[in-house]
Amino acid sequence: MTKTIELKGVQQRFHARGTAGGYLTAVDDASFTLSAEPAQVTSLVGQSGSGKSTIARNVLGLQKPTAGDVLYNGKDIFQLSRAEYDDYRRNVQPVFQDPYAIFNPFYRVDRVLWKAVKKFGLASTREAGLALIEESLRAVKLEPERVLGRYPHQLSGGQRQRVMLARVHMLRPAFIIADEPVSMLDAQVRKLFLDILLDFQRDHGMTTLFITHDLSTVYYLGGDVMVITKGVIVERGPVDTVMHEPSHPYTKLLLDSIPQPDPDQRWTDRIEVDELGEEEKAEAKLASTPETPVI
């Protein structure tokens, strides 16, 4: 059976003083499906505060939605049995934004790799575990002898992020949930990181939900894209189509906000994003509904 992650009408509200009704809606009626076969890259793009990371937490089971369902192979992830939950945890792996905060500074970086080996029974002997770790480090363009035995502060941000990719490589999950994983990396390391994600898709059949505010990385990865603003997914489709023929005003604003590489062209415009009304939300939902439920 093909593994799937499906969001159906997910809404996430948070209590907030001074707001209408006493709450803030971070995600409003979000619905989409990710499929492990064929492996694909789907990007979720929007400005800061648009609800992207909240959706990531919903998908990872870190935040139970106020309404709606997050389904893994058709079952609510918050009602999985122990065996089903273990399968979910192995097959849905996160890569977070901050390469400085994902490691405990008191432990060597080896620890996150050995914990995965032991937790998921990836090797029967220490020698086999070490061989697996070294293989996965090389797969993400790291030299094991220059990484193993070191503390987090002895590695660069790009190296730390790739150690987490090595952990993903060891587990071979069906899905990667990457929440702004390259926003703190320089351009050269950013390209290397994106290339590794594409290698994982091509060589190991991993589907990635790539969450970002950067349209250039979305274009580089290709695949499909969903555009979100104010918690509402307003447009979705193939990257080339959305980038070259955007149908929603917000998508057009995002594209217009990209600075042009022309020193003679001054960037003076400011983007104002208005709150979506109920009628606009309904139109956005209709416009963003794909012809097929799997993207």
Side-chain angles (χ1 to χ4, degrees):
M1 183 180 72
T2 301
K3 292 181 172 62
T4 60
I5 295 174
E6 183 179 6
L7 269 67
K8 297 179 66 176
V10 166
Q11 183 183 76
Q12 188 68 64
R13 290 181 171 181
F14 298 103
H15 291 290
R17 293 181 179 179
T19 58
Y23 61 83
L24 173 68
T25 301
V27 178
D28 193 0
D29 197 23
S31 299
F32 61 85
T33 300
L34 301 173
S35 176
E37 296 180 14
Q40 57 200 272
V41 174
T42 297
S43 298
L44 180 63
V45 62
Q47 67 189 66
S48 297
S50 60
K52 308 186 303 295
S53 293
T54 301
I55 286 179
R57 291 194 294 272
N58 291 146
V59 172
L60 291 168
L62 303 176
Q63 178 85 49
K64 187 174 183 178
T66 308
D69 301 299
V70 181
L71 307 176
Y72 175 63
N73 298 336
K75 296 184 178 181
D76 188 328
I77 65 170
F78 297 98
Q79 298 180 11
L80 296 176
S81 67
R82 179 61 181 270
E84 291 169 336
Y85 184 75
D86 287 345
D87 177 66
Y88 178 74
R89 295 312 308 160
R90 175 164 183 165
N91 276 293
V92 184
Q93 285 291 310
V95 180
F96 295 114
Q97 175 180 8
D98 190 351
Y100 301 94
I102 53 182
F103 291 93
N104 187 323
F106 292 100
Y107 295 102
R108 292 179 173 87
V109 296
D110 311 34
R111 185 171 184 264
V112 300
L113 303 175
W114 281 110
K115 292 283 282 186
V117 171
K118 295 174 182 177
K119 168 69 176 176
F120 296 102
L122 303 180
S124 56
T125 66
R126 184 169 181 82
E127 290 75 16
L130 180 59
L132 177 61
I133 288 172
E134 291 178 345
E135 175 193 353
S136 293
L137 287 172
R138 292 190 184 98
V140 298
K141 310 301 187 291
L142 288 173
E143 299 175 23
E145 60 274 15
R146 303 188 65 176
V147 173
L148 297 178
R150 292 179 177 265
Y151 288 93
H153 72 272
Q154 295 177 303
L155 301 179
S156 68
Q159 288 175 316
R160 283 192 286 262
Q161 283 292 63
R162 280 183 285 156
V163 168
M164 297 310 296
L165 282 181
R167 183 181 183 277
V168 169
H169 183 271
M170 290 167 56
L171 293 171
R172 303 291 205 280
F175 302 97
I176 303 171
I177 311 302
D179 186 8
E180 296 276 13
V182 298
S183 63
M184 300 179 69
L185 306 181
D186 62 43
Q188 182 178 1
V189 178
R190 184 177 303 178
K191 180 182 181 300
L192 176 60
F193 187 99
L194 298 176
D195 286 340
I196 292 171
L197 286 182
L198 293 174
D199 289 344
F200 283 2
Q201 176 198 3
R202 183 187 66 246
D203 299 335
H204 304 296
M206 301 183 201
T207 286
T208 297
L209 176 62
F210 188 83
I211 297 169
T212 184
H213 65 277
D214 185 355
L215 288 169
S216 62
T217 58
V218 171
Y219 192 77
Y220 185 83
L221 285 171
D224 294 300
V225 62
M226 298 179 288
V227 181
I228 185 171
T229 180
K230 301 295 184 181
V232 179
I233 297 175
V234 295
E235 186 166 358
R236 68 182 80 192
V239 166
D240 284 340
T241 301
V242 173
M243 291 288 192
H244 296 115
E245 301 174 16
S247 61
H248 194 274
Y250 177 73
T251 308
K252 296 175 183 178
L253 286 174
L254 280 181
L255 292 168
D256 289 343
S257 71
I258 301 175
Q260 299 298 316
D262 183 355
D264 296 324
Q265 182 176 342
R266 309 304 297 174
W267 189 27
T268 59
D269 296 336
R270 291 180 60 85
I271 289 181
E272 300 294 339
V273 179
D274 297 328
E275 191 74 41
L276 293 177
E278 293 303 319
E279 184 177 345
E280 290 174 300
K281 289 179 181 178
E283 291 176 355
K285 182 179 179 182
L286 181 62
S288 67
T289 302
E291 295 180 1
T292 171
V294 178
I295 62 173

